[in-house]
Amino acid sequence: MTEIIKPTIIAFEVTRRCVLRCRHCRASATTCEQDVLSTEQCRKILDAIAELKKCVVVLTGGEPMMRQDIFDLTDYGKSLGLRMAIATCGALLDDAAIQRFKRAGLLSFSFSLDGPDAASHDAFRQVPGAFDMTLKAIEKARKADLRFQINTTLTGVNVDHLDAIARLAVDLEASCWNPFVLVPVGRAEQDAQLLLEPGRYEQVLEMLAMMKATYPIELRVTCGPQFARVARQKNIPGAEHIRGCLAASGFAFISYQGDVQTCGFLELPAGNLVQNGYDLVDIWYNSPLLQSIRDLSQYQGFCGQCSYLADCRGCRARALIASGHLLGQDPLCILGQSNRDEVK
């Protein structure tokens, strides 16, 4: 029996409220949402995460800074031995908040930049001034000597600016640049302009492999599991350590309702922490959903035949969206596309 890897990173969606109206938002977040989980329930969820030992917990949303208890949750997680991080747009991150997080021993911020300038970023985030707002928050973090990374959602409207965005991340002295490949859920589901087609996606992966091998910044790719294959094909340094989809292995997502999911883009609950008495260990090891994803022998379509399956595993959210089958073929992979064309 394959050993079950415990998650090392857990994203905890503490709210679906947000000040932005991003075109791609998986949560379709607005300012009108009500927080479902109380402070006490969030604390119990952090207790449950701590049972798995040495996890990085990313408090996310929505915009987590919209919760009045965000400092309390960060302090409490830190007291449990968790390494706490915040994913924020920076709108509410003033000097006092920065110092509060610094005293709490915050591990890192995640800031999102989806264009190299105000025009492109603000159009994507659909709020004028969003770019400058994020840059000001980044400068506050830098002055306080707090670690931060830059996240970028890769879409059809910004892939031609990847080099400029990467260089901006380097110039800002980010610890990491983390491109996220768009998954068409939430607001992105009806926005065809944002989608990449398999051939263009493959080109983007090859470009990212080159960047990872040559740019002076750590580069991680999320929701692009085929990057693990491309890195190996290109034989870039450290390729053997690059992993594809971490669903049901190194990563878990906890929703604003307490549902345990493989990620924020696959809204299939493996269990609900509020309902099961906050036993994350039981859900992680015993959920039939998570067990099925771990069983690579059950994967279907070209994913099931691919020699890179163990490294890549495909995107389970995209497979479900495309075919209705969780363990089906990832529709964005060029290898699977080539296979279909040959069959035709």
Side-chain angles (χ1 to χ4, degrees):
M1 181 177 179
T2 303
E3 180 184 0
I4 298 175
I5 302 172
K6 78 175 187 67
T8 55
I9 302 176
I10 295 180
F12 182 12
E13 179 189 45
V14 293
T15 184
R16 284 203 166 181
R17 290 185 288 156
C18 191
V19 297
L20 302 182
R21 297 185 297 274
C22 306
R23 289 176 62 178
H24 73 302
C25 183
R26 57 163 187 80
S28 300
T30 70
T31 57
C32 302
E33 296 284 344
Q34 295 294 317
D35 294 335
V36 174
L37 297 171
S38 67
T39 300
E40 184 59 28
Q41 288 174 318
C42 287
R43 280 172 162 247
K44 289 181 179 178
I45 287 174
L46 291 171
D47 285 332
I49 295 173
E51 292 294 318
L52 289 169
K53 310 295 185 186
K54 297 183 179 179
C55 286
V56 173
V57 178
V58 183
L59 300 180
T60 186
E63 172 50 61
M65 291 295 297
M66 294 189 78
R67 284 193 68 120
Q68 292 186 346
D69 60 1
I70 191 66
F71 300 116
D72 174 81
L73 297 181
T74 306
D75 289 342
Y76 188 69
K78 181 68 174 178
S79 75
L80 297 172
L82 299 170
R83 291 173 288 172
M84 304 298 293
I86 299 279
T88 174
C89 69
L92 305 175
L93 204 57
D94 57 19
D95 289 325
I98 287 282
Q99 291 304 316
R100 185 69 174 76
F101 283 128
K102 187 176 178 68
R103 290 195 300 273
L106 189 77
L107 175 68
S108 179
F109 288 109
S110 292
F111 296 109
S112 292
L113 289 174
D114 300 294
D117 51 40
S120 56
H121 179 81
D122 291 1
F124 188 73
R125 297 282 165 173
Q126 301 195 107
V127 171
F131 184 77
D132 290 339
M133 178 179 65
T134 301
L135 289 188
K136 288 177 181 177
I138 288 172
E139 183 59 26
K140 287 179 171 62
R142 287 176 63 182
K143 286 183 177 179
D145 198 27
L146 279 170
R147 184 179 182 273
F148 68 92
Q149 70 177 50
I150 301 296
N151 296 342
T152 300
T153 300
L154 304 186
T155 72
V157 300
N158 71 355
V159 290
D160 291 332
H161 304 293
L162 287 191
D163 184 73
I165 298 171
R167 293 186 184 280
L168 177 58
V170 172
D171 291 343
L172 290 171
E173 300 178 352
S175 63
C176 171
W177 181 47
N178 192 174
F180 282 66
V181 180
L182 179 79
V183 179
V185 297
R187 289 198 187 105
E189 186 176 2
Q190 305 300 324
D191 197 336
Q193 189 181 15
L194 299 181
L195 301 180
L196 294 172
E197 54 84 25
R200 184 67 175 120
Y201 172 57
E202 185 75 6
Q203 292 173 352
V204 169
L205 293 178
E206 292 178 355
M207 184 185 306
L208 291 172
M210 179 275 294
M211 290 178 170
K212 183 171 179 62
T214 60
Y215 280 35
I217 190 171
E218 181 184 357
L219 189 158
R220 292 195 299 264
V221 177
T222 299
C223 299
Q226 290 78 17
F227 185 66
R229 164 181 58 81
V230 171
R232 286 163 172 77
Q233 290 174 328
K234 298 295 182 181
N235 197 31
I236 68 171
E240 68 276 10
H241 300 301
I242 297 173
R243 299 176 61 193
C245 180
L246 299 179
S249 58
F251 178 82
F253 181 91
I254 299 173
S255 82
Y256 73 112
Q257 296 176 310
D259 289 326
V260 178
Q261 300 171 197
T262 60
C263 71
F265 304 104
L266 187 63
E267 292 193 337
L268 291 179
N272 183 278
L273 289 170
V274 177
Q275 295 172 3
N276 89 328
Y278 303 94
D279 191 345
L280 179 57
V281 171
D282 178 58
I283 293 174
W284 183 255
Y285 287 102
N286 299 316
S287 160
L289 173 69
L290 301 183
Q291 289 176 345
S292 70
I293 293 173
R294 292 171 186 139
D295 187 358
L296 301 186
S297 69
Q298 299 302 311
Y299 281 43
Q300 304 166 10
F302 187 78
C303 280
Q305 308 166 27
C306 184
S307 60
Y308 289 99
L309 177 59
D311 300 316
C312 168
R313 301 175 65 186
C315 175
R316 297 304 99 216
R318 290 193 193 94
L320 184 64
I321 292 166
S323 66
H325 297 291
L326 176 66
L327 304 180
Q329 180 169 306
D330 185 340
L332 202 53
C333 179
I334 190 112
L335 297 186
Q337 187 73 28
S338 300
N339 184 64
R340 285 195 296 271
D341 292 341
E342 288 176 8
V343 171
K344 291 178 184 178

